Amino acid sequence: MSTTLKQLPEGYKIRPMEPTDYSVLKILEVLTTVGSISEEQFSLQVEEWKLNDRIYNPLVVTNNNDDVVACGMLFVEFKLIHELGKVGHIEDIAVRSDQQGLQLGKHLILALTEIARSKGCYKVILDCDEKNVGFYQKCGYSVAGVEMSIRFDK
Amino acid sequence: MSTTLKQLPEGYKIRPMEPTDYSVLKILEVLTTVGSISEEQFSLQVEEWKLNDRIYNPLVVTNNNDDVVACGMLFVEFKLIHELGKVGHIEDIAVRSDQQGLQLGKHLILALTEIARSKGCYKVILDCDEKNVGFYQKCGYSVAGVEMSIRFDK
């Protein structure tokens, strides 16, 4: 790791996302469109992830008021290559805009990376904008390739 | 699509990977280390994918001798963003080395992309080496970002 990591601020915690963490949706709006999702739909999705916890590992950061202030996802892909190897994928890291500068994103990346390691993944990958390469390098990641995408019209 | 796609050669087919397609492992060796996987381990992995077919969609291409000559994977990630949106991930595209020039890779990419579209994904992403960007552009993909990775020591 090329930079030191401060401790989480007092009272802040990292824990698995729960079906009651509906406020996660507000946090995700810093990333992209979230759209209309009811509390019930949210709970069902998180419960489904929990039933598939070999694959899905969503985390949240809560503050000293127990409000969710950041979130992130690790999912684990089961492959054939590398002797039935597993690869972790980090997705949808979001930090509430008034919580920048507390290294919450870095804490999340390191926690998700550690889950992947403990589950036996041989690597973790993620895709980011060019401007965030430096941040992920400080989290121990290296540039590995090019992300390509195709979007479908609705 | 910026190039035309020839039809598959006569007798060639694209179909879902089956638990009996053990020869897939030889094909994957063109990509990276596969290691020691027994026929039983292979079958169990493919059966587990079939039980999770909302997520895992492995395809193979067979030739006029019914030999597997190429393979590829689409897995579908269930998200919160984009109104409980789904994203397809294409992984581990491999073509037997004596089958180059038949556009089997392109056929696979288009078939996997079509599965993602039919399953309601709003986009498909994949990571590749810089040298393969042009190939994926011909498949309708665009550069979207940077792939970062971290590898763990055994």
Side-chain angles (χ1 to χ4, degrees):
Chain A
M1 222 64 58
S2 59
T3 55
T4 51
L5 179 66
K6 293 177 223 164
Q7 291 214 316
L8 279 173
E10 194 171 336
Y12 282 57
K13 284 175 202 152
I14 296 188
R15 61 161 172 79
M17 191 183 295
E18 296 296 335
T20 50
D21 289 328
Y22 188 56
S23 59
V24 158
L25 297 181
K26 279 206 196 86
I27 314 290
L28 286 168
E29 280 170 1
V30 307
L31 286 185
T32 185
T33 310
V34 174
S36 168
I37 302 172
S38 70
E39 283 199 57
E40 189 186 358
Q41 286 175 309
F42 174 83
S43 297
L44 286 172
Q45 181 60 75
V46 178
E47 276 162 18
E48 191 176 307
W49 285 340
K50 283 172 114 47
L51 290 174
N52 279 293
D53 65 357
R54 289 177 70 210
I55 297 176
Y56 288 100
N57 307 266
L59 293 183
V60 296
V61 181
T62 56
N63 67 8
N64 48 10
N65 205 21
D66 274 340
D67 292 333
V68 175
V69 293
C71 60
M73 170 64 91
L74 169 82
F75 69 85
V76 175
E77 176 202 0
F78 289 72
K79 285 183 179 281
L80 294 169
I81 59 173
H82 291 285
E83 237 160 318
L84 302 171
K86 288 170 280 204
V87 169
H89 296 249
I90 288 181
E91 294 279 340
D92 301 340
I93 299 295
V95 177
R96 209 169 77 182
S97 47
D98 65 348
Q99 303 280 311
Q100 308 291 332
L102 302 174
Q103 295 194 315
L104 303 187
K106 189 167 180 183
H107 277 283
L108 269 172
I109 296 296
L110 297 186
L112 294 165
T113 304
E114 188 48 39
I115 292 173
R117 186 203 300 266
S118 72
K119 290 196 162 188
C121 293
Y122 66 89
K123 70 172 179 180
V124 183
I125 63 174
L126 59 88
D127 295 315
C128 69
D129 286 345
E130 187 70 44
K131 68 179 191 295
N132 294 326
V133 166
F135 166 72
Y136 287 108
Q137 284 172 331
K138 288 177 192 161
C139 297
Y141 283 72
S142 307
V143 173
V146 181
E147 179 199 10
M148 309 290 298
S149 82
I150 188 169
R151 284 179 179 268
F152 304 125
D153 298 329
K154 286 266 176 178
Chain B
M1 221 64 57
S2 60
T3 55
T4 51
L5 180 66
K6 293 178 222 162
Q7 291 215 314
L8 278 173
E10 194 171 334
Y12 281 57
K13 285 176 200 150
I14 296 188
R15 61 161 174 78
M17 190 183 295
E18 296 297 335
T20 50
D21 289 329
Y22 188 56
S23 59
V24 158
L25 297 181
K26 278 206 196 83
I27 315 289
L28 286 168
E29 281 172 1
V30 307
L31 286 185
T32 184
T33 310
V34 174
S36 169
I37 302 173
S38 70
E39 284 199 55
E40 188 187 358
Q41 286 176 309
F42 174 83
S43 297
L44 286 172
Q45 180 60 76
V46 178
E47 276 163 17
E48 190 176 307
W49 285 340
K50 282 171 117 43
L51 291 174
N52 278 293
D53 64 357
R54 288 176 71 209
I55 297 175
Y56 288 100
N57 307 266
L59 293 183
V60 297
V61 181
T62 56
N63 67 7
N64 48 10
N65 206 21
D66 275 341
D67 292 334
V68 175
V69 292
C71 60
M73 170 64 92
L74 168 83
F75 68 84
V76 176
E77 176 203 359
F78 288 74
K79 286 183 178 282
L80 295 169
I81 58 172
H82 293 284
E83 237 161 318
L84 302 171
K86 288 170 280 205
V87 169
H89 297 249
I90 288 180
E91 293 279 340
D92 301 340
I93 300 294
V95 177
R96 208 169 77 183
S97 46
D98 65 347
Q99 303 281 311
Q100 309 291 331
L102 302 175
Q103 296 194 313
L104 304 187
K106 190 167 180 182
H107 276 284
L108 269 172
I109 295 296
L110 298 187
L112 294 165
T113 303
E114 187 49 39
I115 292 172
R117 185 203 302 266
S118 72
K119 290 196 164 187
C121 293
Y122 66 90
K123 71 173 179 179
V124 183
I125 62 174
L126 58 86
D127 296 314
C128 70
D129 285 346
E130 187 70 43
K131 69 178 190 296
N132 295 325
V133 166
F135 165 72
Y136 287 108
Q137 285 172 332
K138 288 177 191 162
C139 297
Y141 283 72
S142 307
V143 172
V146 180
E147 179 200 11
M148 309 289 298
S149 82
I150 187 169
R151 284 179 179 268
F152 303 125
D153 298 329
K154 286 267 177 180

